[in-house]
Amino acid sequence: MSIVKGLKTIEAVMNKKTYDSDAPKTRWLRLEEGQSVKIRFANELDEDSPNYDSTRDLAIVVAEHTNPNDYKRKAVCTAEDEGRCFGCEMAQKEPKAGWRARNRFYTNLIVDDGMESPYVAVWSQGLGKQSAVHTLLEYTSDTGSISNLTWKCKRQGTGTDTTYVLLPTAPDAEPFDWSPHELFNLEKVVREVPYAEQESFYLGFDLPTAASSASSTTNINW
Ligand SMILES: [Zn+2]
């Protein structure tokens, strides 16, 4: 069994957003309750889409575990890649405690909030019944694309009752100019923790960076 010892190592594990220090810091879509913005999906859902572009690539869905007592301790399930996964072990040990892996959807967006010039942000959504991802799936099965139009996106509710309403507008008359926008690499946006460090990541000491974790509270459990 691998153990992470020493405060420095533990802090390093907790502070690492991803295990690639070259990756730019992710900007997340953050809306207030009732706030409505214009968004454009930068990643299509399928390579067969007429608007699929390999440089923009596809949205991803990732199986993740979350410590049921601390939503900030969330990481990718490694059962397939590493053959071992601390989250899966916890789910087996305590089947009712909420450790089982859940799928999450990640995509890049161009956000126009009417305040600053349009910017790229990542949006992550669970796939539960209330998830706005169902709207996207339905729309793309009808039209084949989600990236060739502006959507209105409105946040409703707070905390675990947060939902997002997506309303499509008319498809673009002219092709959208993607050139000013650099997207995040979604595979680096998700948090991958090696098995050896998972136990201390999920169960370790209190987060040392109180300030940065407080600022992420609006980004929880959508
Ligand atoms: Zn797992």
Side-chain angles (χ1 to χ4, degrees):
M1 177 177 168
S2 306
I3 295 173
V4 176
K5 258 191 192 168
L7 194 57
K8 275 210 181 95
T9 324
I10 291 164
E11 284 182 344
V13 172
M14 295 308 302
N15 285 329
K16 259 183 200 169
K17 177 71 201 155
T18 68
Y19 281 73
D20 181 350
S21 52
D22 297 333
K25 193 175 187 309
T26 306
R27 180 166 187 177
W28 299 93
L29 178 71
R30 293 191 202 287
L31 301 183
E32 305 293 331
E33 183 182 5
Q35 189 182 353
S36 174
V37 293
K38 289 183 204 160
I39 60 171
R40 174 179 295 267
F41 292 95
N43 306 107
E44 280 294 342
L45 302 181
D46 198 280
E47 283 179 16
D48 292 337
S49 164
N51 289 290
Y52 169 70
D53 177 334
S54 60
T55 59
R56 281 185 276 125
D57 212 350
L58 297 173
I60 61 172
V61 170
V62 183
E64 294 176 335
H65 296 281
T66 308
N67 177 336
N69 300 314
D70 186 349
Y71 62 84
K72 290 192 289 291
R73 297 171 191 254
K74 180 172 67 186
V76 174
C77 174
T78 53
E80 255 175 56
D81 287 356
E82 289 201 48
R84 301 186 294 180
C85 175
F86 183 78
C88 287
E89 291 168 14
M90 289 303 287
Q92 231 169 11
K93 234 184 277 176
E94 302 174 28
K96 289 187 179 154
W99 276 97
R100 82 183 159 78
R102 287 186 188 80
N103 287 322
R104 245 183 130 70
F105 172 87
Y106 289 85
T107 185
N108 281 281
L109 304 173
I110 314 291
V111 182
D112 182 356
D113 62 7
M115 292 180 278
E116 61 178 292
S117 44
Y119 58 88
V120 179
V122 175
W123 193 39
S124 128
Q125 284 279 288
L127 296 179
K129 252 190 240 164
Q130 301 290 319
S131 174
V133 176
H134 299 300
T135 306
L136 295 179
L137 292 172
E138 203 173 309
Y139 189 85
T140 203
S141 75
D142 285 350
T143 69
S145 295
I146 57 169
S147 68
N148 62 328
L149 67 154
T150 300
W151 295 73
K152 283 181 194 161
C153 175
K154 183 177 182 183
R155 174 179 174 167
Q156 295 180 331
T158 54
T160 53
D161 290 327
T162 301
T163 56
Y164 290 82
V165 179
L166 288 176
L167 282 177
T169 67
D172 301 331
E174 299 285 323
F176 183 75
D177 178 13
W178 294 94
S179 60
H181 301 293
E182 194 169 338
L183 306 185
F184 294 100
N185 180 342
L186 296 175
E187 287 171 35
K188 292 188 174 165
V189 163
V190 297
R191 185 190 272 131
E192 287 186 88
V193 179
Y195 181 79
E197 295 168 17
Q198 285 174 4
E199 182 170 5
S200 53
F201 170 77
Y202 284 116
L203 302 181
F205 301 132
D206 285 339
L207 289 173
T209 50
S212 68
S213 52
S215 70
S216 68
T217 49
T218 53
N219 187 32
I220 56 167
N221 290 334
W222 297 354

